[in-house]
């Protein structure tokens, strides 16, 4: 098994410890501490379950002992695909307590992605629920995965487990639990937005990740009295750590789980539980703003709404601020590390017009040109980041590491930003060829590869198109061969490839050829840019 590593050069690690960023806390350690300090306080509310800190800890311990009794050993990796249900927390903290390493998949992922994570992480087990909030049955997926990934030894199902191991039945001897892990060790693998090809695995350590949400708590005003609503998928880095459910649990606050982010589901929960803080992607924030106008639900407990994952334009920011009775906070982050926030005491124009500034005084941000040279202050350039919670390497991916990190250890975010005189970042675009569809990142290359597997597709190029609701949607240009494929059939065929639904192209345009330049072939990136420009020009002309 390839060992899990995430290492900062010793002088950096020493600096981050001396500054008090890395305090030697661990996930099992902090949960145990909260359970001891606030045993009767509510930790997790979801569905018809309400767990106190003592109960969450006891359930996590039972799961941990159960994982070990199955024969799983500390250091092994476990793919977790759970939605916003309380068992997400008993499973994940159970894994932490057993020294096992969660690999966070999203509920939308399907066989192709889950198999990729399983193989790349060399996972020994997979945990899913019987059904998702949308009714999707994960058991057939689990069956197909068992065939496709022979290294997988165990499949655990929350709910009706059929032939698999029922999560609720996990039990074992709690005295066998290992001692707390090294805080510098890898706690879990998060998945990248996948800007080129398939998603990469992001190893995050106890030290670095706990720092990121503990510091976020300070910036977002999270206290033990806070009530955090998880509206986005719990496994995503944004609702997990900005300040997220992990921040809330670290603070001893209450986490409320909304099975879906729709106002119909979330608003009654806000009113009932007195939710004080939550996070949304821009399209949902706009939807909430619209729905709030009906005034049917009491949202007065809301203090802070974080919006991020994709660009919130100043006009959208104004609409959200005007419609919701709370403070708006913009957040620009990435699963690889760096997170920026506007601050709660920032002047209005900063909150509406910027994506915030870094969490940490030790976050190093560079804005550079094509040659890697810093651009003049205030000019747009590529954002590079290095710091106490920004990774230095992906797991098991030399090619991506060579591409994504500078020799000095800066992560190439792929985002194009400019910095204001006050030190705030404004996201202007990006360098990479991905589509940011309502905060879900889709790699153009990954989708093109799928399309090329179709017998009637000669070539394909996938581009992003501005979309009023989603921010961006995907359009696939396809050169057919043989029988002309029809767009709906091609979409259905894509779905059948076992990929997340959000990756299926929103639009498919058949073309006879891709233009080439006089000089011959053009780069893939250039081709996508030209096709995109052509489509936009055509749409303009049609108006
Ligand atoms: C968050 O994380 P990821 O890993 O899904 O995506 C990161 C990318 C960034 O590199 C940027 O391209 C985009 O998402 N992004 C934004 C943004 N927030 C993220 N682009 C413009 N404006 C924003 N406010 O998406 C994520 C992780 C932690 C906190 C928040 C978001």
């Amino acid at each position: 098994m390839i060992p899990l590593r995430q290492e900062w050069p010793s002088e950096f690690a020493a600096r981050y410890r001396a500054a008090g960023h890395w305090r030697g806390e661990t996930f099992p350690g902090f949960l145990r501490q909260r359970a001891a300090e606030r045993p009767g306080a509510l930790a997790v509310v979801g569905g018809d379950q309400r767990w106190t800190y003592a109960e969450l800890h006891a359930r996590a311990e039972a799961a941990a002992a159960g994982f070990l009794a199955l024969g799983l050993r500390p250091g092994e990796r476990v793919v977790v695909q759970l939605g916003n249900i309380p068992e997400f927390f008993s499973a994940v903290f159970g894994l932490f307590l057993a020294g096992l390493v969660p690999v966070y998949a999203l509920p939308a992922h399907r066989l192709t992605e889950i198999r990729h994570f399983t193989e790349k992480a060399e996972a020994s087990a997979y945990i899913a629920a019987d059904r998702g909030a949308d009714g999707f049955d994960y058991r057939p997926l689990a069956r197909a995965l068992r065939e496709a990934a022979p290294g997988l030894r165990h499949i655990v199902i929350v709910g009706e487990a059929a032939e698999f191991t029922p999560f609720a039945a996990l039990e074992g001897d709690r005295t066998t639990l290992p001692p707390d892990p090294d805080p510098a060790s890898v706690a879990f693998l998060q998945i990248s937005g996948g800007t080129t090809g398939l998603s990469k695995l992001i190893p995050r350590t106890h030290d670095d990740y706990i720092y990121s949400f503990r510091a976020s708590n300070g910036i977002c005003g999270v206290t033990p009295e806070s009530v955090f609503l998880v509206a986005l998928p719990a496994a995503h880095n944004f609702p997990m750590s900005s300040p997220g459910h992990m921040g809330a649990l670290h603070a001893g606050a209450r986490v409320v789980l909304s099975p879906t982010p729709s106002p119909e589901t979330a608003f009654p929960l806000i009113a009932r539980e007195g939710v004080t803080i939550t996070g949304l992607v821009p399209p949902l924030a706009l939807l909430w703003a619209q729905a709030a106008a009906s005034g049917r639900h009491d949202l007065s407990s809301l203090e802070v709404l974080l919006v991020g994952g994709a660009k919130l334009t100043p006009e959208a920011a104004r609409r959200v601020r005007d419609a919701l009775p709370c403070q708006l906070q913009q957040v620009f982050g990435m699963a690889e590390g760096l997170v920026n926030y506007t601050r709660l005491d920032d002047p209005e124009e900063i909150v509406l017009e910027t994506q915030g500034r870094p969490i940490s005084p030790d976050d190093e941000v560079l804005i550079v040109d094509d040659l890697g040279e810093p651009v003049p202050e205030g000019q747009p350039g590529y954002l590079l980041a290095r710091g106490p919670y920004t990774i230095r390497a992906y797991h098991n991916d030399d090619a991506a590491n060579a591409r994504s990190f500078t020799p000095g250890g800066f992560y190439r975010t792929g985002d194009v930003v400019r910095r204001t005189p006050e030190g705030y970042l404004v996201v202007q675009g990006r360098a990479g060829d991905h589509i940011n569809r309502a905060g879900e990142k889709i790699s153009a290359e990954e989708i093109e590869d799928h399309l090329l597997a179709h017998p009637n597709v000669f070539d394909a190029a996938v581009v992003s198109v501005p979309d009023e609701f989603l921010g961006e949607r995907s359009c696939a240009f396809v050169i057919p061969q043989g029988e002309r494929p029809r767009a709906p059939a091609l979409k259905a065929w894509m779905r059948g490839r076992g990929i997340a639904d959000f990756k299926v192209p929103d639009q498919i345009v058949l073309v006879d050829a891709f233009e080439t330049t006089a000089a011959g072939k053009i780069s893939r990136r250039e081709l996508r840019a030209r096709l995109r420009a052509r489509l936009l020009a055509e749409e303009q002309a049609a108006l």
Side-chain angles (χ1 to χ4, degrees):
M1 219 166 39
I2 299 167
L4 294 172
R5 281 219 187 84
Q6 190 59 256
E7 280 159 8
W8 284 258
S10 55
E11 65 274 23
F12 285 87
R15 172 143 57 95
Y16 301 153
R17 285 198 185 92
H21 305 328
W22 295 358
R23 297 184 186 166
E25 286 182 285
T26 65
F27 282 92
F30 93 68
L31 181 64
R32 184 178 335 100
Q33 217 176 336
R34 288 307 160 271
E37 291 161 359
R38 332 189 71 217
L42 275 178
V44 176
V45 174
D48 54 5
Q49 310 202 66
R50 307 177 75 77
W51 298 350
T52 62
Y53 275 88
E55 200 174 346
L56 169 60
H57 187 243
R59 285 175 180 268
E61 276 197 333
F67 290 134
L68 295 176
L70 287 179
L72 293 166
R73 287 294 158 258
E76 289 193 283
R77 281 77 103 162
V78 177
V79 175
V80 179
Q81 190 178 26
L82 294 172
N84 294 358
I85 54 175
E87 289 82 359
F88 177 92
F89 294 93
S90 46
V92 162
F93 276 99
L95 295 172
F96 288 145
L97 284 163
L100 293 158
V101 180
V103 183
Y104 293 123
L106 297 173
H109 287 134
R110 296 295 176 256
L111 181 62
T112 303
E113 288 111 356
I114 301 294
R115 177 188 184 172
H116 169 67
F117 305 146
T118 304
E119 285 172 356
K120 199 78 183 162
E122 300 167 281
S124 312
Y126 167 67
I127 307 180
D130 50 2
R131 283 179 189 278
D134 59 356
F136 181 79
D137 189 341
Y138 289 90
R139 291 160 297 188
L141 194 163
R143 277 174 208 122
L145 183 66
R146 193 174 45 192
E147 299 306 313
L152 206 65
R153 304 202 309 277
H154 298 284
I155 293 178
V156 177
I157 297 287
V158 175
E160 291 294 326
E163 70 269 39
F164 305 110
T165 305
F167 178 71
L170 287 182
E171 56 180 10
D173 178 359
R174 294 181 196 202
T175 63
T176 60
L177 298 187
D180 283 354
D182 176 355
S185 66
V186 171
F188 60 84
L189 294 169
Q190 185 58 273
I191 56 174
S192 77
T195 48
T196 47
L198 297 171
S199 287
K200 298 173 282 285
L201 299 180
I202 300 172
R204 303 288 304 252
T205 65
H206 297 267
D207 267 335
D208 94 77
Y209 205 68
I210 292 176
Y211 169 49
S212 78
F213 58 71
R214 194 185 60 232
S216 295
N217 280 349
I219 293 169
C220 307
V222 174
T223 70
E225 280 66 54
S226 297
V227 181
F228 182 85
L229 183 80
V230 189
L232 297 171
H236 191 279
N237 193 61
F238 172 19
M240 186 177 290
S241 64
S242 293
H245 50 73
M246 286 297 174
L249 292 176
H250 189 271
R254 185 192 314 176
V255 172
V256 175
L257 297 162
S258 187
T260 80
S262 74
E264 293 75 28
T265 318
F267 284 9
L269 280 173
I270 293 173
R272 189 186 86 196
E273 300 294 330
V275 168
T276 62
I277 172 166
T278 189
L280 295 174
V281 292
L284 283 170
L286 287 168
L287 196 67
W288 281 34
Q290 204 177 41
S294 79
R296 261 190 298 133
H297 295 280
D298 179 9
L299 305 178
S300 61
S301 60
L302 260 186
E303 292 163 6
V304 175
L305 172 66
L306 289 128
V307 181
K311 170 95 177 203
L312 183 70
T313 61
E315 309 83 82
R318 255 181 221 105
R319 259 202 269 163
V320 170
R321 181 213 44 193
D322 291 347
L324 291 162
C326 61
Q327 264 190 290
L328 170 66
Q329 199 167 19
Q330 292 213 39
V331 50
F332 161 42
M334 53 210 71
E336 285 82 355
L338 182 72
V339 179
N340 305 275
Y341 294 101
T342 58
R343 303 308 202 253
L344 294 174
D345 56 0
D346 275 339
E348 178 181 274
E349 65 273 17
I350 286 189
V351 174
L352 296 178
E353 287 167 22
T354 83
Q355 278 66 58
R357 62 180 162 88
I359 289 178
S360 175
D362 283 309
D363 277 321
E364 298 171 76
V365 157
L366 288 177
I367 303 176
V368 302
D369 62 18
D370 282 321
L371 301 173
E373 296 297 325
V375 296
E377 201 53 50
Q379 294 299 305
Y382 304 115
L383 172 67
L384 309 181
R386 185 167 82 172
Y389 60 96
T390 297
I391 60 163
R392 296 293 187 122
Y394 290 109
H395 175 63
N396 185 11
D397 202 333
D398 292 340
N401 286 335
R403 246 190 345 255
S404 306
F405 298 89
T406 70
F410 278 86
Y411 168 58
R412 299 182 200 275
T413 67
D415 294 311
V416 176
V417 305
R418 68 178 170 83
R419 190 167 28 209
T420 69
E422 299 84 13
Y424 285 71
L425 301 179
V426 178
V427 180
Q428 311 246 275
R430 63 167 171 272
D433 282 341
H434 69 270
I435 297 105
N436 187 337
R437 188 182 190 275
E440 305 277 16
K441 317 305 181 300
I442 305 164
S443 151
E445 190 181 307
E446 181 184 347
I447 304 315
E448 289 165 4
D449 277 348
H450 279 292
L451 286 165
L452 285 172
H454 192 283
N456 299 121
V457 172
F458 173 72
D459 201 357
V462 176
V463 306
S464 70
V465 189
D467 183 274
E468 207 183 330
F469 179 64
L470 299 167
E472 293 178 8
R473 64 189 145 87
S474 61
C475 176
F477 289 90
V478 168
I479 304 178
Q481 65 182 1
E483 198 181 323
R484 263 176 101 75
R486 299 178 71 83
L490 205 49
K491 287 189 193 182
W493 178 85
M494 283 289 279
R495 266 185 210 103
R497 304 273 297 167
I499 58 172
D501 220 36
F502 64 78
K503 293 184 183 173
V504 175
D506 294 297
Q507 191 179 351
I508 292 178
V509 178
L510 296 182
V511 292
D512 294 334
F514 294 151
E515 62 178 306
T516 45
T517 61
K521 269 182 88 71
I522 52 173
S523 76
R524 211 70 208 159
R525 173 162 300 172
E526 176 66 20
L527 171 66
R528 293 187 192 114
R530 285 176 189 222
L531 286 168
R532 183 170 188 273
R534 198 168 85 194
L535 184 75
L536 295 184
E538 281 167 13
E539 282 188 358
Q540 277 293 318
L543 285 181

